[in-house]
Amino acid sequence: MKAQFHLALPCETIEATKAFYLNVLGATQGRATDQWIDINLYNNQLTFTASGTFDFKFKSYKLDDTVLPSFHFGVIVSIDVWGALYKKLLQSHQEVTTEFTFMENKVGEHVSFFIKDPNGYMIEFKSFKSKNEVFSS
């Protein structure tokens, strides 16, 4: 079953959030008011609601030899889209993590990088070596 997801999150300001997702990541805007905005991120709906400052703390976990944020969300894209976005973000001097290859030579092998949005959310972009292995173990 192929389905889109919807994720609703608080944000400090609509304008900073909008600028990041549209101008930095290349997403598009959906419906919006002065209190919330829908973002189309690879055909998935992110809704951000202005909440002002909020407490955002998260712990990390380790996968192989890499420490990762336990609270994050992400998008699985083709290797072409992944590479183009990674290159674009590096060239625009955004703070992105180094690309990582996870589960190398194992079922579920994929490359990933992370970027933090202006609200402190970590976003992972990943591409699987074999798209049929997204849920395989």
Side-chain angles (χ1 to χ4, degrees), residues 23-44:
N23 302 332
V24 175
L25 295 184
T28 57
Q29 179 180 324
R31 296 168 296 173
T33 71
D34 59 344
Q35 291 298 304
W36 59 268
I37 185 170
D38 282 341
I39 300 293
N40 178 343
L41 184 64
Y42 295 97
N43 212 26
N44 295 288

Side-chain angles (χ1 to χ4, degrees), residues 7-14 16-18 20-21 25 37 39 41 46-58 69-74 94-97 113-125:
L7 180 63
L9 299 166
C11 69
E12 290 190 24
T13 71
I14 296 295
T17 301
K18 176 181 174 179
F20 175 81
Y21 284 90
L25 295 184
I37 185 170
I39 300 293
L41 184 64
L46 301 177
T47 300
F48 291 97
T49 304
S51 66
T53 303
F54 56 94
D55 186 7
F56 183 78
K57 295 180 184 176
F58 61 91
S70 60
F71 181 77
H72 68 273
F73 64 94
Q94 293 296 314
E95 201 170 317
V96 297
T97 63
F113 69 85
F114 290 82
I115 186 168
K116 187 185 290 188
D117 85 354
N119 304 296
Y121 297 119
M122 294 299 289
I123 307 163
E124 178 181 16
F125 290 90

